[in-house]
């Protein structure tokens, strides 16, 4: 079991999911090797829910990191968990094609992909025609 798997599974147990009861855990390693974890945090106003991946990513970015090398996501799913579209777009902001996204489940099945596979054609800074 990899460190990131162990950490994501541990983070998953902190999920706040009174509505869906679906716990998700994430862990990531930044460019300099620092590790962050996250769980999904739901809200009575459902749309305000924050997914596990985004929790981990925002924790890392708010501590000054900018590049993710590896991201592990896990949930109790039949096959490796599938990140939602919003998370794919957020991952695309901070991971490049050299990054590994490891999708897992509690059975230990994994699927390792790049963000380009998860979200081909992601909207990026360069898509603003140099207006930024
Ligand atoms: N969820 C995640 O945390 N990550 C995903 O990529 C998929 C969905 C959460 C959001 C919500 O708390 C629950 O799973 C059901 O949608």
């Amino acid at each position: 079991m990899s460190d990131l798997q162990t950490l994501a599974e541990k983070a998953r147990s902190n999920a706040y999911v009174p509505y869906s009861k679906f716990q998700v855990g994430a862990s990531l390693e930044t460019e300099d090797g620092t590790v962050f974890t996250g769980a999904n945090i739901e809200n009575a106003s459902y749309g305000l829910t924050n997914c596990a991946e985004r929790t981990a990513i925002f924790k890392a970015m708010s501590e000054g990191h900018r590049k993710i090398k590896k991201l592990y996501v896990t949930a109790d799913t039949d096959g490796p968990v599938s990140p939602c579209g919003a998370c794919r777009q957020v991952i695309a902001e901070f991971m490049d094609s050299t990054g590994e996204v490891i999708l897992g489940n509690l059975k230990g099945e994994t699927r390792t992909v790049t963000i380009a596979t998860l979200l081909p054609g992601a909207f990026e800074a360069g898509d603003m025609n140099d207006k930024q």
Side-chain angles (χ1 to χ4, degrees), residues 16-17 20-25 39-42 49-54 73 81-85 87:
Y16 174 74
V17 289
S20 75
K21 315 270 198 265
F22 184 69
Q23 299 175 299
V24 185
N40 49 334
I41 313 291
E42 299 188 341
T49 291
N50 208 64
C51 291
E53 302 89 311
R54 280 179 288 141
V73 193
V81 65
S82 181
C84 81
C87 286

Side-chain angles (χ1 to χ4, degrees), residues 27-106:
S27 58
L28 63 81
E29 192 180 317
T30 64
E31 198 167 27
D32 71 2
T34 311
V35 168
F36 291 88
T37 63
N40 49 334
I41 313 291
E42 299 188 341
N43 193 280
S45 177
Y46 295 173
L48 299 182
T49 291
N50 208 64
C51 291
E53 302 89 311
R54 280 179 288 141
T55 302
I57 292 170
F58 294 151
K59 282 169 70 176
M61 298 308 136
S62 66
E63 294 299 322
H65 299 270
R66 288 293 179 265
K67 194 166 173 191
I68 301 164
K69 273 195 322 201
K70 272 190 191 185
L71 171 69
Y72 193 106
V73 193
T74 192
D76 189 9
T77 41
D78 286 341
V81 65
S82 181
C84 81
C87 286
R88 292 176 194 221
Q89 180 66 34
V90 171
I91 294 166
E93 187 76 23
F94 302 111
M95 261 185 130
D96 64 25
S97 58
T98 64
E100 276 178 63
V101 183
I102 305 150
L103 308 173
N105 64 14
L106 296 189

